Amino acid sequence: MIEFKNVSYHYGKGENQISALRDINLVINEGEFVAVLGPNGSGKSTLARHVNGLLKPTCGEVKVDGLSTDDPRAIWEIRQRVGMVFQNPDNQIVASSVKEDVSFGPENLGISTDEIKLRVDSALKTVGMADFSSIDPHMLSGGQRQKVAIAGALAMNTKYIVLDEATSMLDPKGRADIISTIEKLNREYGITILYITHIPDEAVLADRIIILSNGSIAMDGSPRDVFSNLSALSKIGVGAPAARLIAEELLIAGVNLPNTILTVDELVAALC
Ligand code: ADP
Ligand code: MG
């Protein structure tokens, strides 16, 4: 379980102080697939960096499985449990072959070479990159490099994966590939996902959406609940999935449709 208790975070001091998180209270349970959606500057990356202790709260506490990120003795354990995947795939490559790159984390755990090999093979298989294990990661597409980064987290036997705008530098195929990979990790392997994005159509795939606005949680609910109130979302500066927006326009034009449509498939089914 990931817990934020009354977490606030300020960058800078005095006159230059910026409140990036304001009294965040949040529980993410094991096995959940949670999307964090919010406009630019709403505090999404700041929140993500708190989960594994890259940032420490100015006030309040963040706990992972009961371990506080404020406890220096716990931080190593927390970082094994929480894998992070960032926006830029290039910044995450540390080795000259895919398998060495994925081995990097587990090698620091002091486990046997045989165990590392098993973990790396299995992680690369899980993300569909087993055929690329000897390739230089720089030769791969952005989407493939992000899958290598995810494999790196899996090889640590991580329970939680936090992805901060991990698809934003990818082409549509790379994006779809990453999304289906993380859906699989959640549904088949029970890995808890915290998926940070500013794209409503990506957030729809989660079981639960947290809307951040100006450092606070503005909404927290199922995609259907969150996207039922388009005017509240638009005040926050968050859009809605394309199918939801089309359905809304049709509704206004007099077509009888439910206000719960989120995907193109649902829209097609309702219209037919
Ligand atoms: P998001 O990821 O939603 O775009 P961030 O967490 O990056 O939001 O930023 C939240 C707020 O904190 C913004 O006002 C941003 O300008 C500010 N901020 C982010 N990083 C820094 C930093 N390193 N120094 C000062 N202010 C920052
Ligand atoms: Mg960000």
Side-chain angles (χ1 to χ4, degrees):
M1 181 165 83
I2 297 168
E3 272 178 290
F4 280 63
K5 283 192 202 155
N6 305 106
V7 172
S8 295
Y9 186 80
H10 310 311
Y11 290 103
K13 286 205 164 68
E15 273 181 19
N16 299 323
Q17 183 174 299
I18 293 170
S19 292
L21 295 178
R22 301 165 196 258
D23 200 26
I24 299 283
N25 283 291
L26 181 61
V27 171
I28 292 167
N29 288 306
E30 273 166 51
E32 278 195 287
F33 179 173
V34 180
V36 177
L37 180 65
N40 215 349
S42 57
K44 302 183 298 296
S45 294
T46 306
L47 183 116
R49 283 162 197 268
H50 273 80
V51 180
N52 76 345
L54 283 174
L55 293 175
K56 308 281 168 61
T58 310
C59 306
E61 191 174 32
V62 176
K63 282 184 171 177
V64 176
D65 297 337
L67 302 164
S68 170
T69 60
D70 238 347
D71 178 358
R73 289 163 305 173
I75 205 76
W76 178 236
E77 179 63 33
I78 289 172
R79 293 206 175 137
Q80 283 177 54
R81 290 179 194 225
V82 182
M84 303 282 292
V85 182
F86 296 104
Q87 187 169 27
N88 189 336
D90 297 334
N91 297 347
Q92 299 172 74
I93 295 171
V94 294
S96 57
S97 80
V98 164
K99 64 174 176 252
E100 280 171 56
D101 200 86
V102 177
S103 313
F104 181 78
E107 271 168 4
N108 290 320
L109 296 180
I111 52 180
S112 73
T113 320
D114 289 347
E115 168 74 13
I116 292 174
K117 190 175 178 317
L118 282 175
R119 285 198 193 185
V120 170
D121 288 349
S122 148
L124 285 173
K125 211 167 144 195
T126 304
V127 301
M129 290 295 289
D131 293 343
F132 297 83
S133 72
S134 302
I135 297 215
D136 183 341
H138 297 93
M139 306 298 286
L140 301 174
S141 72
Q144 289 172 323
R145 270 177 275 165
Q146 287 299 56
K147 288 205 273 184
V148 172
I150 293 171
L154 293 177
M156 298 288 280
N157 283 350
T158 184
K159 277 171 71 180
Y160 307 93
I161 298 187
V162 180
L163 300 105
D164 186 2
E165 311 255 12
T167 61
S168 63
M169 296 178 79
L170 308 182
D171 60 19
K173 171 162 189 319
R175 212 169 254 206
D177 234 14
I178 293 302
I179 290 168
S180 66
T181 304
I182 58 160
E183 278 190 298
K184 172 174 157 188
L185 294 183
N186 177 254
R187 315 277 186 236
E188 290 176 29
Y189 296 82
I191 293 176
T192 310
I193 304 287
L194 192 59
Y195 188 84
I196 290 162
T197 181
H198 65 276
I199 303 169
D201 276 290
E202 290 190 353
V204 159
L205 303 164
D207 305 318
R208 173 180 167 199
I209 300 179
I210 292 166
I211 305 274
L212 268 192
S213 169
N214 204 10
S216 302
I217 295 177
M219 296 185 198
D220 182 348
S222 69
R224 244 170 259 290
D225 285 346
V226 164
F227 289 118
S228 65
N229 194 343
L230 293 189
S231 66
L233 285 173
S234 116
K235 280 190 194 115
I236 296 167
V238 170
R244 175 75 185 87
L245 294 174
I246 295 168
E248 188 69 14
E249 290 297 323
L250 289 169
L251 207 70
I252 292 166
V255 181
N256 187 16
L257 286 173
N259 74 346
T260 51
I261 286 171
L262 294 179
T263 64
V264 172
D265 288 348
E266 287 171 5
L267 180 59
V268 169
L271 285 172
C272 295

